[in-house]
Amino acid sequence: MLTGHHLIAGRETTTQHAPFQAVNPTTNQPMEPSFSEATAAEADEALRAADGAFDALRGASVETRAAFLETLAEEILALGDALLERAHAETALPMARLTGERGRAVNQCRMFAALIREGSWSEASIDRAQPDRQPLPKPDVRRVLQPIGPVVVFGASNFPFAIGVVGTDSVCALAAGCPVVVKAHPAHPGTCEMLSRAVFQALQKSGLPQGSFSMLQGRSHDIGIELVRHPLTQAVAFTGSLRGGRALMDVAAARPHPIPVYAEMGSVNPVFVLPGALKARAAQMAEAYIGSVTMGVGQFCTNPAMVLGVKSPELTEFVRAAGEQAQKIAPQTMLHRGICETYEAGTAVWHTISGLRLAGQSAQSPDHDATQAACRIFTAPLDVLQSNEELQREVFGPCSIIAESDSMEAVLEFARGLEGQLTAAIHGTPDDLRENAELVRILERKVGRLIFNGFGTGIEPCPSMHHGGPYPAASHSYFTSIGTGSIHRFVRPVCYQGFPDDCLPEALQNANPRGQMRLLDGSLTREPVAG
């Protein structure tokens, strides 16, 4: 039973301030119950509870935190079909997609449980004392990563499970020992409430403090700004638009004590098609390309919004085949009316640009009452993209531009001028790749993930994944928001010099009780430190 209440440290609260409702994007009808805008007082209560819980959460044993994450996985599954049905009604995402995404969220919980049990993520490092060293003795110095404190999480509209209340940001922060305050997404507030209750159940069963987690609802920007400004907030995780992420970054930077905002803000994810691939499989590539553009109605931050190639009969065939495939794509309902209206406005601007022509679009007209979007594929000479900055910005939805260049040198020059991207893909043969090594070198400076003969849509959460990139794709190119490396956003190194062994954090104690990998006098080992 949904209440529409905020959930603060295990307690339900509501002020009935600025009430709002979720809207079913397929019917555009409001859904029960009514939710309310959280107030500054409620934000303060949530963050004070988080700060109060911090020492107990970070002081809990690794096994307790790992067991909590595994219990959370079970609590998510225990919500059953009711969770899927509510998420489907609020987002219009297909049930099959939501079922798969729920599995991803559950697996992430278990993945981080395994990560913290294994322990090497904490980068424990020990340099033993050398009291007889000349000309000066060397002290005993040890270092390990420690949690930073309360983290504020802004979930994504397009991933209500995997990048939301129980998504990577929340789960890895809790795994590290950081309390979390989630700003629920106003497009799926009911889903957020259900998942938040699962977190509280897991905390209760694990004996961890309820203040470790809170969830506040809100449709305006005000509550988000309050959470970022609050002096107890130590870091912010955000997935969304460049405009939204940049606004939070500016608020965080203006604080008396600035804090990091780890923002993933999307990109155009350029695809470079090289001659060998075009000659071998232009039609097949076009089909895969349209499949990637329209996956999830184009509502992925890694959507391939731009393709670049050198003019040739094979590239012409690729454009023709892509346009033909686009016609076969039926319009689909987007996440909410605001996203759909922004998509329509963005592609309407494209229609007005001289030199840009429509290569193909969905044969069926979209039903705007059902928040539907049609696939639209455009093509243009490369110089049209170079002279129109608006064509180099993300339009969120099932659209893309194929740019035709007179030479590979022009393609390389365009690549050098690209802003930071989450992904870039190169399609070709191994010989193409070797002959275009310069393109690879350029893209290594521009993107977070470089793909050969594939597309950016579809992300594997694993230790090797990097989901980020140079600004404006993300706020900091070093950090990832997907995969086990994401935990490093919410920790910092603490160094201990000359401490008695029993007063050190477990990861730095001589006996190495968890048997984790550590750097001992410059060499990696799981061995204990001798007497």
Side-chain angles (χ1 to χ4, degrees):
M1 178 69 71
L2 294 175
T3 65
H5 295 168
H6 312 295
L7 302 175
I8 300 177
R11 185 176 72 85
E12 297 189 26
T13 178
T14 182
T15 57
Q16 294 300 313
H17 172 63
F20 67 97
Q21 290 175 280
V23 175
N24 184 317
T26 304
T27 65
N28 274 296
Q29 294 300 307
M31 301 171 62
E32 294 293 339
S34 179
F35 298 85
S36 61
E37 190 82 17
T39 64
E42 287 164 325
D44 180 68
E45 180 184 354
L47 281 159
R48 288 185 183 278
D51 191 63
F54 179 40
D55 281 342
L57 180 61
R58 69 175 178 147
S61 69
V62 167
E63 184 54 41
T64 298
R65 291 206 306 273
F68 156 69
L69 295 173
E70 291 171 335
T71 302
L72 176 55
E74 295 306 315
E75 291 296 326
I76 295 168
L77 291 173
L79 292 170
D81 290 345
L83 174 66
L84 301 177
E85 289 162 2
R86 179 71 190 199
H88 173 65
E90 288 185 325
T91 67
L93 292 172
M95 291 292 280
R97 150 73 192 274
L98 289 167
T99 302
E101 190 188 329
R102 180 181 62 180
R104 172 175 159 182
V106 165
N107 289 338
Q108 285 177 162
C109 291
R110 294 169 177 160
M111 179 176 70
F112 280 101
L115 178 78
I116 61 175
R117 279 197 180 103
E118 190 278 331
S120 61
W121 72 273
S122 65
E123 298 180 1
S125 179
I126 299 171
D127 284 275
R128 288 177 286 189
Q130 297 177 17
D132 299 329
R133 190 185 68 173
Q134 296 297 326
L136 293 172
K138 177 183 176 182
D140 185 277
V141 180
R142 307 187 182 206
R143 192 194 80 152
V144 71
L145 298 178
Q146 294 277 32
I148 58 172
V151 172
V152 169
V153 170
F154 293 79
S157 63
N158 56 339
F159 281 90
F161 304 154
I163 312 178
V165 171
V166 295
T168 307
D169 297 329
S170 298
V171 169
C172 74
L174 290 164
C178 295
V180 169
V181 176
V182 169
K183 161 60 176 64
H185 200 286
H188 49 259
T191 302
C192 291
E193 181 180 331
M194 295 178 76
L195 291 170
S196 296
R197 293 185 184 279
V199 179
F200 285 136
Q201 284 288 108
L203 286 171
Q204 188 173 30
K205 290 180 178 180
S206 304
L208 291 171
Q210 293 284 285
S212 302
F213 180 85
S214 292
M215 181 277 295
L216 301 177
Q217 301 279 4
R219 186 168 53 179
S220 75
H221 300 307
D222 296 344
I223 186 59
I225 292 172
E226 287 290 341
L227 290 168
V228 176
R229 281 180 177 162
H230 198 284
L232 293 176
T233 301
Q234 298 301 304
V236 175
F238 170 86
T239 297
S241 68
L242 173 60
R243 180 180 177 184
R246 183 60 203 236
L248 296 181
M249 290 168 63
D250 291 343
V251 170
R255 289 171 36 135
H257 297 281
I259 58 171
V261 174
Y262 298 109
E264 186 266 276
M265 299 174 287
S267 62
V268 296
N269 308 295
V271 176
F272 297 83
V273 290
L274 301 179
L278 286 169
K279 289 178 181 177
R281 54 181 192 278
Q284 296 94 320
M285 273 200 307
E287 184 176 0
Y289 159 60
I290 297 301
S292 182
V293 168
T294 59
M295 182 185 294
V297 206
Q299 297 169 122
F300 287 89
C301 52
T302 52
N303 199 43
M306 182 186 298
V307 176
L308 301 104
V310 177
K311 288 180 183 177
S312 68
E314 291 81 12
L315 183 61
T316 300
E317 170 59 19
F318 175 82
V319 173
R320 185 205 64 77
E324 186 178 272
Q325 289 293 327
Q327 294 178 40
K328 300 177 183 179
I329 302 298
Q332 299 292 324
T333 299
M334 298 192 81
L335 291 160
H336 56 79
R337 182 162 291 279
I339 282 181
C340 191
E341 289 174 349
T342 301
Y343 172 73
E344 291 295 338
T347 54
V349 169
W350 288 5
H351 278 289
T352 68
I353 294 174
S354 177
L356 190 70
R357 69 174 181 85
L358 191 65
Q361 64 178 336
S362 300
Q364 182 181 335
S365 297
D367 180 352
H368 296 296
D369 291 335
T371 324
Q372 287 185 348
C375 172
R376 298 187 180 110
I377 303 298
F378 295 79
T379 187
L382 181 57
D383 59 6
V384 173
L385 262 68
Q386 290 175 311
S387 59
N388 290 273
E389 288 188 4
E390 61 267 40
L391 297 179
Q392 299 178 41
R393 301 191 190 108
E394 180 184 37
V395 174
F396 200 60
C399 62
S400 187
I401 300 171
I402 304 170
E404 300 176 287
S405 172
D406 289 328
S407 67
M408 194 63 199
E409 288 71 23
V411 171
L412 295 175
E413 186 61 28
F414 183 83
R416 291 187 189 97
L418 282 170
E419 292 188 312
Q421 307 289 328
L422 294 171
T423 77
I426 299 173
H427 285 254
T429 64
D431 284 343
D432 279 331
L433 201 60
R434 296 181 189 102
E435 291 168 10
N436 291 276
E438 186 177 358
L439 175 61
V440 177
R441 300 290 86 77
I442 292 169
L443 294 177
E444 286 171 342
R445 300 178 63 179
K446 300 290 183 178
V447 309
R449 178 162 56 111
L450 192 52
I451 302 151
F452 184 54
N453 287 338
F455 295 94
T457 44
I459 298 175
E460 179 63 35
C462 64
S464 299
M465 178 52 63
H466 186 83
H467 187 59
Y471 184 87
S475 55
H476 197 307
S477 62
Y478 179 82
F479 294 98
T480 179
S481 61
I482 301 293
T484 55
S486 60
I487 199 171
H488 290 100
R489 296 171 297 171
F490 307 129
V491 291
R492 65 179 182 85
V494 177
C495 181
Y496 302 82
Q497 182 170 322
F499 267 57
D501 185 67
D502 63 332
C503 296
L504 286 165
E506 185 180 62
L508 296 178
Q509 291 175 4
N510 287 341
N512 193 12
R514 301 199 64 82
Q516 70 186 67
M517 189 69 73
R518 306 187 296 186
L519 195 66
L520 176 60
D521 294 333
S523 298
L524 286 170
T525 180
R526 296 186 188 276
E527 294 300 313
V529 177

